[in-house]
Amino acid sequence: MDSSSQHPPCTVFFDLETTGLDRSCDLVQLAAVSGSHTFNLFMVPRRPMQPSASRITGFSVRRQRLFLHHRPLLTSSLREALVSFITFLQMLGRPLLVGHNIRRFDCPVLVRALDEFSLRSDFQKHLCGFVDTLPLARQLLKDSGLQSFKQEDLVKSLLGVSYAAHNALEDVQALQRLYWALKPTANQIQQHIFTLDSLAAASVNH
């Protein structure tokens, strides 16, 4: 047994809220949790909120101010938020970043933002990889008869609770509880680890 399997990396669960579902959308919220450590920052997006995204998330922008359910929020610039997130990861010692459906959506959006400020290499130095819990849950629960693998449906099925989906902080706290309930083995986690480089290679090959 090698030392890496004896000392698995710290796990950080993260999620983004954005102005829409297209790849060119802007970040509105970046949240993460690792045990009792939490990270949660809001940003005024440079693109308009799509009406469908506003309806789902409750975010709106008026006169360059961000509101959540009509309450004003304290915001950071996108660069400040990304630098703070890198500092958060650094504090946790090269963690594994875990999220739901991140390979298709959150990671490409996050990478585009990091590239804009030339922060990708600094970001990559401070994590050991990503795991997408969507394919992981499909593998672990393939014989369960579940019809939906949306995060909120998994949380309801496995944990028996409902929560405020589409708020990134609520999402990551629920995902952390879901991941602990799924109890993936080190081997199962290893099968699902990917990096930003492997993500870029896959997009080139398609």
Side-chain angles (χ1 to χ4, degrees):
M1 184 182 285
D2 64 33
S3 59
S4 63
S5 60
Q6 293 170 356
H7 304 284
C10 170
T11 308
V12 172
F13 301 87
F14 86 105
D15 188 42
L16 314 176
E17 297 301 340
T18 61
T19 56
L21 293 176
D22 55 293
R23 289 281 179 92
S24 62
C25 62
D26 258 0
L27 272 72
V28 178
Q29 184 185 12
L30 171 56
V33 65
S34 181
S36 60
H37 299 287
T38 58
F39 176 93
N40 187 31
L41 288 178
F42 300 96
M43 295 129 272
V44 177
R46 294 160 298 179
R47 289 172 169 270
M49 289 288 303
Q50 291 180 6
S52 57
S54 275
R55 276 195 305 276
I56 291 167
T57 62
F59 286 111
S60 58
V61 179
R62 291 198 304 278
R63 299 195 182 105
Q64 287 302 299
R65 293 200 68 187
L66 182 67
F67 294 80
L68 179 58
H69 302 303
H70 309 294
R71 292 181 180 174
L73 295 166
L74 286 172
T75 55
S76 305
S77 72
L78 179 55
R79 189 183 188 284
E80 285 168 347
L82 294 170
V83 168
S84 297
F85 189 43
I86 291 169
T87 303
F88 179 76
L89 299 177
Q90 189 175 3
M91 175 189 80
L92 295 166
R94 296 196 75 236
L96 188 62
L97 264 181
V98 177
H100 203 71
N101 198 29
I102 56 171
R103 186 187 275 268
R104 287 188 60 192
F105 184 71
D106 301 69
C107 283
V109 171
L110 183 59
V111 167
R112 188 166 43 78
L114 290 163
D115 283 347
E116 183 181 339
F117 300 103
S118 303
L119 290 170
R120 190 203 290 216
S121 63
D122 202 24
F123 175 76
Q124 284 180 288
K125 269 192 312 206
H126 296 300
L127 74 156
C128 67
F130 294 89
V131 167
D132 190 331
T133 51
L134 178 59
L136 178 65
R138 282 193 171 127
Q139 179 192 343
L140 295 175
L141 301 170
K142 62 181 184 292
D143 299 320
S144 66
L146 284 175
Q147 299 299 305
S148 169
F149 287 87
K150 283 183 181 174
Q151 182 179 313
E152 57 197 292
D153 293 334
L154 288 171
V155 168
K156 196 159 194 175
S157 297
L158 273 71
L159 304 178
V161 294
S162 297
Y163 71 98
H166 307 297
N167 175 304
L169 186 59
E170 297 275 357
D171 277 334
V172 293
Q173 288 169 335
L175 184 61
Q176 179 169 252
R177 294 195 298 273
L178 176 65
Y179 189 82
W180 289 344
L182 286 170
K183 297 188 179 75
T185 65
N187 199 31
Q188 287 164 334
I189 294 165
Q190 189 64 42
Q191 288 171 30
H192 287 273
I193 290 178
F194 66 94
T195 63
L196 294 185
D197 293 336
S198 65
L199 195 70
S203 65
V204 168
N205 293 333
H206 277 86

